[in-house]
Amino acid sequence: MYLSVAQRREQQMSAPTENRSQWEPHAVIGIEPALKDPWYGATFGQALKRFVQKALHFRGYASRAEFWWVQPVLFITSVCLVAFLQNVVWSASGGNVAVWALRITALMVVWLIQIAMLVAQLSLIWRRLHDTGRSGACFFITFVPVIGPVITAVLLALPAKPAGRRGEWSDIDEYVVGWLG
């Protein structure tokens, strides 16, 4: 039986409240949450869209779905960029100025793309750590030899902890409004 969106919402909202998570209201009724809120249960496309929209936002929160759906895309993009440099740019034969200009230009473009991806990835990690109730500065644990990356991966995999959220981690407009009045 086919149900319209309105019928599904009504059916979900009439379900007993113990079946619904108080921290995942958007996932239950299928409505996109505000950009400042984490999107629990986001699909691949939704997570990617959010990643691009919030690429430079270090404040706020990111759900596990928002974080983990983006990781394969970033990895595959990095591998493709390196393969492009290795196979296309450096395999060009000849030592004339045009070939070297192509190599240097391609290298600079790839570096710029990688830097943009790194900044966006760091902001996503920061927001994910906020969602687990920890400061984004916990990211620096990654630099502890051997065990650091493992600890960071575990922290990123932990479930959301809304009780641990702090005002200064929220998006700036929400924080300023709460602080002023």
Side-chain angles (χ1 to χ4, degrees), residues 81-163:
L81 288 171
V82 169
F84 167 76
L85 279 179
Q86 218 170 14
N87 295 326
V88 175
V89 176
W90 295 113
S91 66
S93 60
N96 60 19
V97 175
V99 171
W100 280 103
L102 170 70
R103 287 178 178 168
I104 291 171
T105 304
L107 187 62
M108 290 172 63
V109 168
V110 168
W111 278 350
L112 288 174
I113 293 170
Q114 289 283 24
I115 289 170
M117 285 176 27
L118 175 67
V119 170
Q121 172 73 354
L122 287 175
S123 74
L124 183 61
I125 290 170
W126 223 259
R127 291 192 317 269
R128 179 69 200 121
L129 287 168
H130 287 170
D131 195 46
T132 64
R134 289 164 182 78
S135 169
C138 287
F139 165 75
F140 295 112
I141 293 172
T142 305
F143 298 114
V144 174
V146 182
I147 193 79
V150 174
I151 293 171
T152 304
V154 169
L155 291 176
L156 293 170
L158 291 174
K161 188 176 175 185

Side-chain angles (χ1 to χ4, degrees), residues 40-57:
Y40 301 104
T43 63
F44 177 74
Q46 294 163 338
L48 224 66
K49 178 182 171 189
R50 276 277 238 241
F51 173 70
V52 172
Q53 288 176 328
K54 296 173 80 172
L56 299 176
H57 293 251

